[in-house]
Amino acid sequence: MIRRVALVLAGFLFITGSLAFACSTCVDGPAVISFFKAECNACLKEMPELDKLHAMSDGRFKVIGVSLDDQAAYEKFTKSGKVKYPTTRYADWESKDKYPSAKYAKHIPSIIYVGKQGKVHGLAMGWFNAETMEEQIEPLVDN
């Protein structure tokens, strides 16, 4: 089953240093945003954990996957139905020079913890289990 989501993630605005982040999909609540590539072993290992986190969220926060793959690889990934949480493709990744802090997403998997109004509260690189990610997002849910 193809899992696509109509997210306006092309509106990412990264500002180096403060990690300020504008994300129109996260304005109404906290989110865990995972940057991945379909052929990345650590990313594939983390995906079931993100599925668990998505199930644990009970609507309190969002879990969103952002693929750094090209269009063909992303379409193949979505057709595989590997994940239950919404994903999208970071379409401007090919133009990463336009984004001064796109370096944060070069190390995959990478997780960005977003609070209310789209403010970034943390960045983590490497794969994590669902419980660890929940510990990071939980304070952002309550505030």
Side-chain angles (χ1 to χ4, degrees):
M1 179 177 190
I2 296 176
R3 301 229 183 252
R4 290 200 182 192
V5 62
L7 299 174
V8 188
L9 289 174
F12 280 6
L13 173 63
F14 291 101
I15 301 172
T16 307
S18 66
L19 276 177
F21 181 86
C23 176
S24 62
T25 65
C26 305
V27 171
D28 62 341
V32 175
I33 301 176
S34 170
F35 291 89
F36 71 92
K37 287 191 98 173
E39 76 277 359
C40 163
N41 287 332
C43 301
L44 295 171
K45 185 176 178 180
E46 185 175 62
M47 288 175 184
E49 296 299 316
L50 288 161
D51 272 335
K52 268 198 251 180
L53 184 67
H54 179 65
M56 293 162 53
S57 74
D58 292 326
R60 297 173 299 129
F61 55 87
K62 297 175 185 175
V63 176
I64 303 167
V66 179
S67 172
L68 303 178
D69 291 305
D70 63 27
Q71 187 66 33
Y74 177 67
E75 286 178 10
K76 183 178 176 183
F77 170 78
T78 57
K79 288 178 184 173
S80 73
K82 288 184 180 181
V83 299
K84 295 177 181 79
Y85 56 91
T87 64
T88 191
R89 188 175 81 88
Y90 185 60
D92 290 326
W93 182 249
E94 292 84 3
S95 305
K96 62 183 175 265
D97 295 338
K98 294 192 295 187
Y99 302 95
S101 63
K103 65 183 177 190
Y104 294 114
K106 281 185 186 177
H107 306 284
I108 55 172
S110 288
I111 300 279
I112 294 178
Y113 296 98
V114 180
K116 296 176 182 176
Q117 288 79 44
K119 182 179 177 191
V120 169
H121 288 269
L123 168 74
M125 293 177 212
W127 82 272
F128 297 90
N129 63 34
E131 292 76 17
T132 300
M133 289 185 278
E134 185 181 38
E135 287 173 12
Q136 296 299 312
I137 194 68
E138 205 59 49
L140 305 180
V141 171
D142 298 332
N143 293 331

